[in-house]
Amino acid sequence: MVNLYQYNTKTMKYLSYWDRIIPILSIIVYASGIFDFNIFGQFLVVALLIGSILSAVHHSELIAHKVGEPFGTIILAVSITIIEVALIISLMLAGGEKAMFLARDTVFSAVMILLTIVIGICIVIGGFRHFEQKFDQKSVNTTLVSLVAILVLTLVLPNFSEGGNYISFSKPQLILVSLSCLVIYIAFIYIQTIRHRNYFLTEKKSEEYTKENSSLILNIIFLIISLIITVLLAKTISPTIENYIIEANLPHSLLGIIIALVILLPEGIAATKAAYKDDIQSSLNLSLGSALAAIGLTIPSVAVVSTIFKIDIVLGLNNISMVLLGLTIFTVMLSLSKGRTNILYGVILIILFVTYVFTIIYP
């Protein structure tokens, strides 16, 4: 009986390191290429993908607990954005007939996912559990002003630009817009972390990770590892998903939304958990901040690559997408204008996401 108890104790101790074991195991499986052999390998990849996402969420929460807000949410948002940018650039350099649309479609998908389904689910879950949730309206206004300016400059203005071909910029215009994105994002980070940091602070204190003894550096390392392997595994299963999409006669652009959903899952889960714990401020910091990082860092990076390697890129949205983007921004601004949440706002945002996906399938 004593030996069995000791065995169980050791087993539980090893299982407590799941957040480190799973990313490492995922790397081994990815390097082995087992997913190419049979359907079991595909199921294994999906299981490890989910485990890696949960590991990323776990380490991001540990980091947020140790460094405090808003630095925790910034680290997660920037980490995912950097890896997303690396994936976009690698696919652009690989070429293909749709490479020129890749940056626009990925950025637009990420923004729509974060502003509609992520914020919508957070508001609904938080509303059902806590009735009304309060947040600092100044933090939301600061982020939305920055986000709206960048969105219009990058995704709408190209359609009215005579310097390019009405859907893309000329080189001087692209340089100007890229610099504008960087300046706006840097100014926002300065406001968020130094000048008006109090706008983004939360009053909620989590006791969930007080017994965690791992170092901050270790958490950051495993967060990055988890995010990298998440992107690689998502890229691995994308051909299988693509085959299902083709067999179902669905638009190819639907694949981009599915991959974006997978990549943004760590942020979505972290934001939802915060709302469930009555910390809607952290949810909004993460969702809106991630949307701003997704476009504010991606467009300048893509601009540099397209200029160096002479790759044409298209940034202007089509008419349906522009209408949906405008409606989404307007709805988010109205929903978050009073500093209190309401379940109705969340339901409407979720419906906008469903509409967005529907218009891709049935344009």
Side-chain angles (χ1 to χ4, degrees):
M1 182 64 68
V2 174
N3 291 337
L4 180 61
Y5 174 77
Q6 291 176 345
Y7 173 79
N8 289 335
T9 301
K10 290 181 179 179
T11 302
M12 293 303 296
K13 181 179 179 181
Y14 291 139
L15 289 177
S16 66
Y17 296 118
W18 69 270
D19 56 312
R20 306 170 200 178
I21 294 174
I22 290 179
I24 294 176
L25 180 61
S26 300
I27 293 175
I28 295 173
V29 171
Y30 178 80
S32 69
I34 190 175
F35 46 82
D36 292 329
F37 300 147
N38 51 43
I39 193 170
F40 169 77
Q42 295 290 345
F43 278 114
L44 180 60
V45 168
V46 172
L48 291 175
L49 175 61
I50 295 173
S52 298
I53 290 171
L54 294 177
S55 174
V57 173
H58 180 71
H59 286 288
S60 69
E61 290 178 335
L62 290 175
I63 292 170
H65 178 74
K66 292 174 181 177
V67 304
E69 291 295 347
F71 298 102
T73 54
I74 292 174
I75 291 174
L76 177 59
V78 173
S79 299
I80 291 181
T81 301
I82 290 174
I83 294 172
E84 184 181 4
V85 168
L87 179 61
I88 292 174
I89 291 175
S90 65
L91 293 175
M92 285 179 59
L93 295 178
E97 57 180 280
K98 296 186 177 181
M100 66 173 62
F101 301 99
L102 188 62
R104 180 198 66 183
D105 293 343
T106 304
V107 165
F108 183 56
S109 297
V111 169
M112 289 297 292
I113 288 169
L114 290 164
L115 294 186
T116 57
I117 192 69
V118 174
I119 293 181
I121 290 176
C122 288
I123 292 176
V124 170
I125 290 178
F128 271 116
R129 183 170 171 81
H130 306 285
F131 187 68
E132 253 188 5
Q133 293 180 294
K134 300 178 182 179
F135 56 89
D136 194 317
Q137 185 182 342
K138 296 186 290 294
S139 68
V140 172
N141 291 342
T142 302
T143 312
L144 283 177
V145 166
S146 306
L147 183 59
V148 170
I150 291 182
L151 283 172
V152 173
L153 284 174
T154 56
L155 300 180
V156 177
L157 187 60
N159 290 326
F160 305 94
S161 170
E162 296 183 2
N165 56 358
Y166 294 98
I167 55 175
S168 61
F169 286 122
S170 63
K171 286 185 179 180
Q173 291 172 331
L174 185 60
I175 293 173
L176 174 63
V177 169
S178 300
L179 290 175
S180 300
C181 289
L182 282 177
V183 170
I184 291 174
Y185 187 72
I186 291 172
F188 169 77
I189 292 297
Y190 170 71
I191 293 297
Q192 187 181 26
T193 58
I194 300 175
R195 187 72 175 182
H196 296 290
R197 183 186 173 191
N198 58 301
Y199 291 177
F200 301 86
L201 296 180
T202 174
E203 297 179 356
K204 304 296 177 183
K205 301 294 182 182
S206 175
E207 304 296 333
E208 186 177 352
Y209 302 105
T210 54
K211 296 181 180 180
E212 176 66 38
N213 296 320
S214 60
S215 68
L216 176 61
I217 298 299
L218 189 64
N219 292 140
I220 293 176
I221 290 174
F222 273 96
L223 170 62
I224 295 173
I225 292 175
S226 299
L227 293 175
I228 290 175
I229 195 61
T230 294
V231 173
L232 292 176
L233 292 177
K235 189 177 178 181
T236 297
I237 65 172
S238 63
T240 302
I241 299 174
E242 186 175 13
N243 291 334
Y244 288 133
I245 290 175
I246 293 174
E247 291 175 2
N249 293 321
L250 295 173
H252 186 272
S253 56
L254 195 62
L255 176 64
I257 297 179
I258 296 174
I259 297 301
L261 279 169
V262 173
I263 294 175
L264 293 173
L265 261 181
E267 291 170 308
I269 294 175
T272 303
K273 289 180 69 175
Y276 182 82
K277 298 174 183 177
D278 198 19
D279 187 9
I280 194 68
Q281 182 68 61
S282 292
S283 299
L284 295 176
N285 288 350
L286 185 54
S287 303
L288 296 175
S290 297
L292 185 59
I295 189 167
L297 297 178
T298 301
I299 297 302
S301 302
V302 168
V304 171
V305 172
S306 66
T307 301
I308 294 176
F309 294 94
K310 297 181 180 180
I311 301 174
D312 292 329
I313 59 172
V314 173
L315 294 178
L317 295 173
N318 59 37
N319 292 335
I320 294 178
S321 296
M322 281 196 296
V323 170
L324 282 175
L325 178 62
L327 178 59
T328 298
I329 290 294
F330 186 62
T331 304
V332 170
M333 293 179 73
L334 287 178
S335 301
L336 304 178
S337 63
K338 299 298 183 181
R340 294 175 180 268
T341 61
N342 184 310
I343 290 178
L344 175 63
Y345 304 152
V347 171
I348 293 173
L349 290 174
I350 293 173
I351 290 175
L352 287 180
F353 176 76
V354 174
T355 304
Y356 163 58
V357 175
F358 185 85
T359 55
I360 290 179
I361 299 175
Y362 297 103

